[in-house]
Amino acid sequence: MGRERATALLVDFDGVLRRWDPAVAAEVEREYGLSEGVLAEIAMQWGRLQPVLTGRVSHADWMTSVADALSDSVGDPERARAAVEQWQRYRGEVDPEVLAFVREARAGGIRVGLGTNATDLLDADLAALGLVGELDVVVNSSKIGVHKPAKEYFQAACEALETPPARVLFVDDEDWSIRGARVAGLSALRWSGPADLRYLRAALATTG
Protein backbone atom coordinates (compact mmCIF):
# COMPACT_ATOMS: atom_id res chain seq x y z
CA MET A 1 0.00 0.00 0.00
CA GLY A 2 1.40 3.39 -0.99
CA ARG A 3 1.76 6.30 1.37
CA GLU A 4 -0.32 9.43 1.16
CA ARG A 5 1.40 12.18 -0.80
CA ALA A 6 3.24 14.60 1.45
CA THR A 7 1.77 18.07 1.81
CA ALA A 8 4.47 19.39 4.13
CA LEU A 9 8.25 19.27 4.16
CA LEU A 10 10.52 19.27 7.22
CA VAL A 11 14.13 20.10 6.38
CA ASP A 12 17.21 19.73 8.56
CA PHE A 13 19.45 22.76 8.91
CA ASP A 14 23.08 21.67 9.27
CA GLY A 15 24.11 19.41 6.42
CA VAL A 16 21.07 20.22 4.29
CA LEU A 17 20.04 23.90 4.19
CA ARG A 18 23.25 25.11 5.85
CA ARG A 19 26.68 23.82 4.99
CA TRP A 20 30.01 24.37 6.69
CA ASP A 21 33.45 24.83 5.15
CA PRO A 22 35.80 22.61 7.23
CA ALA A 23 38.75 24.75 6.18
CA VAL A 24 37.62 27.51 8.58
CA ALA A 25 38.00 25.38 11.71
CA ALA A 26 41.18 23.83 10.35
CA GLU A 27 42.75 27.26 9.92
CA VAL A 28 41.89 28.27 13.50
CA GLU A 29 43.35 25.00 14.79
CA ARG A 30 46.58 25.57 12.87
CA GLU A 31 46.85 29.17 14.07
CA TYR A 32 46.48 28.15 17.71
CA GLY A 33 48.58 25.00 17.54
CA LEU A 34 45.64 22.66 18.09
CA SER A 35 45.28 19.17 16.72
CA GLU A 36 43.12 18.83 13.63
CA GLY A 37 39.43 18.40 14.39
CA VAL A 38 39.73 19.04 18.12
CA LEU A 39 37.30 21.98 18.22
CA ALA A 40 34.40 19.98 16.84
CA GLU A 41 35.46 16.89 18.76
CA ILE A 42 35.20 18.69 22.08
CA ALA A 43 32.07 20.63 21.19
CA MET A 44 30.24 17.50 20.01
CA GLN A 45 30.95 15.37 23.09
CA TRP A 46 27.44 14.24 23.98
CA GLY A 47 27.63 15.18 27.64
CA ARG A 48 28.50 18.73 26.58
CA LEU A 49 26.23 18.90 23.52
CA GLN A 50 22.97 17.39 24.79
CA PRO A 51 22.24 20.09 27.39
CA VAL A 52 22.60 22.92 24.87
CA LEU A 53 20.38 21.13 22.34
CA THR A 54 17.58 20.87 24.89
CA GLY A 55 17.82 24.45 26.12
CA ARG A 56 19.29 23.70 29.53
CA VAL A 57 22.54 25.48 28.65
CA SER A 58 23.03 28.55 26.46
CA HIS A 59 25.18 28.59 23.34
CA ALA A 60 27.53 31.01 25.10
CA ASP A 61 27.94 28.69 28.09
CA TRP A 62 28.50 25.74 25.76
CA MET A 63 31.35 27.58 24.04
CA THR A 64 32.80 28.60 27.40
CA SER A 65 32.95 24.91 28.32
CA VAL A 66 34.74 24.17 25.04
CA ALA A 67 37.30 26.90 25.77
CA ASP A 68 37.81 25.55 29.29
CA ALA A 69 38.46 22.09 27.88
CA LEU A 70 41.02 23.56 25.45
CA SER A 71 42.97 25.52 28.03
CA ASP A 72 45.55 22.83 28.73
CA SER A 73 46.17 22.22 25.02
CA VAL A 74 46.62 25.91 24.28
CA GLY A 75 48.44 26.64 27.51
CA ASP A 76 46.48 29.78 28.35
CA PRO A 77 42.74 30.24 29.15
CA GLU A 78 42.60 33.60 27.35
CA ARG A 79 44.14 32.12 24.23
CA ALA A 80 41.72 29.20 24.38
CA ARG A 81 38.77 31.60 24.54
CA ALA A 82 40.19 33.57 21.62
CA ALA A 83 40.46 30.41 19.53
CA VAL A 84 36.85 29.45 20.22
CA GLU A 85 35.60 32.98 19.52
CA GLN A 86 37.43 33.08 16.20
CA TRP A 87 36.03 29.67 15.25
CA GLN A 88 32.49 30.72 16.14
CA ARG A 89 32.50 33.88 14.02
CA TYR A 90 31.90 31.74 10.97
CA ARG A 91 28.24 30.75 10.87
CA GLY A 92 28.21 28.60 7.75
CA GLU A 93 26.64 29.19 4.36
CA VAL A 94 23.22 28.58 2.84
CA ASP A 95 23.04 25.94 0.13
CA PRO A 96 21.49 27.97 -2.72
CA GLU A 97 19.97 24.94 -4.46
CA VAL A 98 18.21 23.81 -1.31
CA LEU A 99 16.93 27.32 -0.61
CA ALA A 100 15.63 27.58 -4.17
CA PHE A 101 13.80 24.27 -3.67
CA VAL A 102 12.29 25.46 -0.38
CA ARG A 103 10.98 28.56 -2.15
CA GLU A 104 9.65 26.45 -5.01
CA ALA A 105 7.88 24.06 -2.65
CA ARG A 106 6.25 26.89 -0.71
CA ALA A 107 5.15 28.57 -3.93
CA GLY A 108 3.52 25.26 -4.85
CA GLY A 109 1.47 25.17 -1.66
CA ILE A 110 3.74 22.93 0.42
CA ARG A 111 4.27 23.98 4.03
CA VAL A 112 7.99 23.93 4.82
CA GLY A 113 9.49 23.73 8.28
CA LEU A 114 13.05 23.79 9.52
CA GLY A 115 13.58 20.81 11.81
CA THR A 116 16.85 21.17 13.66
CA ASN A 117 18.78 20.26 16.76
CA ALA A 118 20.04 23.73 17.54
CA THR A 119 20.97 26.16 20.29
CA ASP A 120 19.54 29.49 21.37
CA LEU A 121 21.72 31.09 18.68
CA LEU A 122 19.50 29.73 15.89
CA ASP A 123 17.36 32.84 15.43
CA ALA A 124 20.46 35.00 15.14
CA ASP A 125 21.97 32.57 12.64
CA LEU A 126 18.82 32.58 10.51
CA ALA A 127 18.89 36.36 10.47
CA ALA A 128 22.60 36.52 9.64
CA LEU A 129 22.13 34.07 6.76
CA GLY A 130 19.13 35.91 5.34
CA LEU A 131 16.67 33.12 6.08
CA VAL A 132 14.08 35.00 8.12
CA GLY A 133 10.73 34.53 6.39
CA GLU A 134 11.99 31.73 4.15
CA LEU A 135 10.24 28.98 6.16
CA ASP A 136 6.73 28.52 7.48
CA VAL A 137 7.86 27.22 10.86
CA VAL A 138 11.12 26.69 12.74
CA VAL A 139 11.28 23.74 15.14
CA ASN A 140 14.33 24.25 17.34
CA SER A 141 15.15 21.48 19.81
CA SER A 142 16.47 23.94 22.38
CA LYS A 143 13.13 25.75 22.42
CA ILE A 144 10.90 22.69 22.72
CA GLY A 145 13.22 20.86 25.12
CA VAL A 146 13.59 17.64 23.14
CA HIS A 147 15.90 16.77 20.25
CA LYS A 148 15.89 14.54 17.20
CA PRO A 149 15.55 11.57 16.89
CA ALA A 150 12.99 11.45 19.74
CA LYS A 151 9.43 10.70 18.70
CA GLU A 152 8.28 13.68 20.76
CA TYR A 153 10.42 15.99 18.63
CA PHE A 154 8.72 14.87 15.44
CA GLN A 155 5.29 15.06 17.04
CA ALA A 156 6.00 18.69 17.95
CA ALA A 157 7.24 19.39 14.42
CA CYS A 158 4.10 17.96 12.82
CA GLU A 159 1.94 20.00 15.19
CA ALA A 160 3.87 23.13 14.22
CA LEU A 161 3.33 22.30 10.55
CA GLU A 162 -0.37 21.60 11.26
CA THR A 163 0.05 18.41 9.24
CA PRO A 164 -0.34 14.75 10.29
CA PRO A 165 2.91 12.72 10.28
CA ALA A 166 1.82 10.60 7.33
CA ARG A 167 1.70 13.75 5.23
CA VAL A 168 5.12 15.12 6.24
CA LEU A 169 8.32 14.37 4.33
CA PHE A 170 11.48 14.81 6.40
CA VAL A 171 14.96 15.41 4.93
CA ASP A 172 18.11 14.99 7.02
CA ASP A 173 21.71 13.93 6.46
CA GLU A 174 21.89 11.74 9.59
CA ASP A 175 20.69 8.12 9.68
CA TRP A 176 19.63 8.31 13.31
CA SER A 177 17.28 11.20 12.60
CA ILE A 178 15.84 9.45 9.56
CA ARG A 179 15.12 6.34 11.61
CA GLY A 180 13.50 8.40 14.35
CA ALA A 181 11.27 10.21 11.87
CA ARG A 182 10.06 6.96 10.36
CA VAL A 183 9.26 5.54 13.79
CA ALA A 184 7.18 8.69 14.38
CA GLY A 185 5.22 8.04 11.19
CA LEU A 186 6.85 10.50 8.79
CA SER A 187 8.30 9.61 5.43
CA ALA A 188 11.99 10.45 5.36
CA LEU A 189 14.90 10.79 2.96
CA ARG A 190 18.54 10.75 3.94
CA TRP A 191 20.10 13.73 2.18
CA SER A 192 23.20 13.06 0.11
CA GLY A 193 23.26 16.28 -1.89
CA PRO A 194 21.39 18.35 -4.50
CA ALA A 195 20.96 15.29 -6.72
CA ASP A 196 18.21 14.28 -4.26
CA LEU A 197 16.10 17.28 -5.28
CA ARG A 198 14.75 15.36 -8.25
CA TYR A 199 13.28 12.74 -5.94
CA LEU A 200 11.90 15.38 -3.59
CA ARG A 201 10.19 17.20 -6.43
CA ALA A 202 8.54 13.96 -7.52
CA ALA A 203 7.52 13.09 -3.97
CA LEU A 204 5.95 16.51 -3.44
CA ALA A 205 4.68 16.88 -7.00
CA THR A 206 6.35 20.26 -7.34
CA THR A 207 7.54 21.59 -10.67
CA GLY A 208 10.95 22.75 -11.78
Side-chain angles (χ1 to χ4, degrees):
M1 182 185 297
R3 292 184 61 98
E4 297 178 273
R5 184 176 294 279
T7 57
L9 179 67
L10 185 65
V11 181
D12 180 37
F13 194 28
D14 292 320
V16 181
L17 183 54
R18 174 167 66 177
R19 57 194 184 190
W20 299 91
D21 183 352
V24 175
E27 177 59 32
V28 173
E29 287 161 348
R30 281 194 297 270
E31 181 177 338
Y32 285 85
L34 297 167
S35 58
E36 184 177 351
V38 71
L39 288 167
E41 180 183 333
I42 292 174
M44 300 299 283
Q45 288 170 349
W46 190 239
R48 180 173 280 115
L49 179 64
Q50 199 267 352
V52 76
L53 294 184
T54 51
R56 291 185 284 123
V57 171
S58 70
H59 188 102
D61 287 343
W62 177 41
M63 287 300 110
T64 295
S65 77
V66 173
D68 289 345
L70 278 174
S71 292
D72 287 344
S73 299
V74 175
D76 174 10
E78 287 295 328
R79 187 169 166 79
R81 283 193 288 273
V84 171
E85 287 172 6
Q86 184 172 329
W87 172 48
Q88 286 291 294
R89 287 190 201 112
Y90 172 61
R91 302 310 304 160
E93 303 153 14
V94 175
D95 186 312
E97 291 184 79
V98 178
L99 179 57
F101 175 69
V102 165
R103 290 170 172 168
E104 174 189 317
R106 294 181 73 202
I110 301 294
R111 284 180 63 77
V112 181
L114 188 70
T116 179
N117 286 343
T119 75
D120 60 358
L121 199 64
L122 179 61
D123 289 347
D125 280 352
L126 294 176
L129 294 169
L131 292 173
V132 174
E134 294 285 3
L135 300 132
D136 293 297
V137 298
V138 174
V139 188
N140 178 353
S141 65
S142 66
K143 282 196 173 181
I144 64 174
V146 62
H147 56 74
K148 298 180 290 185
K151 185 175 182 179
E152 293 81 3
Y153 177 90
F154 291 106
Q155 290 171 337
C158 292
E159 289 174 8
L161 285 165
E162 300 177 343
T163 307
R167 290 285 190 139
V168 177
L169 174 57
F170 174 59
V171 183
D172 198 292
D173 63 328
E174 297 283 354
D175 272 336
W176 64 321
S177 291
I178 294 298
R179 292 195 298 268
R182 288 173 177 162
V183 168
L186 291 73
S187 55
L189 171 74
R190 183 178 178 190
W191 179 256
S192 60
D196 292 334
L197 291 174
R198 182 176 180 180
Y199 168 83
L200 292 175
R201 288 191 173 97
L204 296 171
T206 63
T207 59

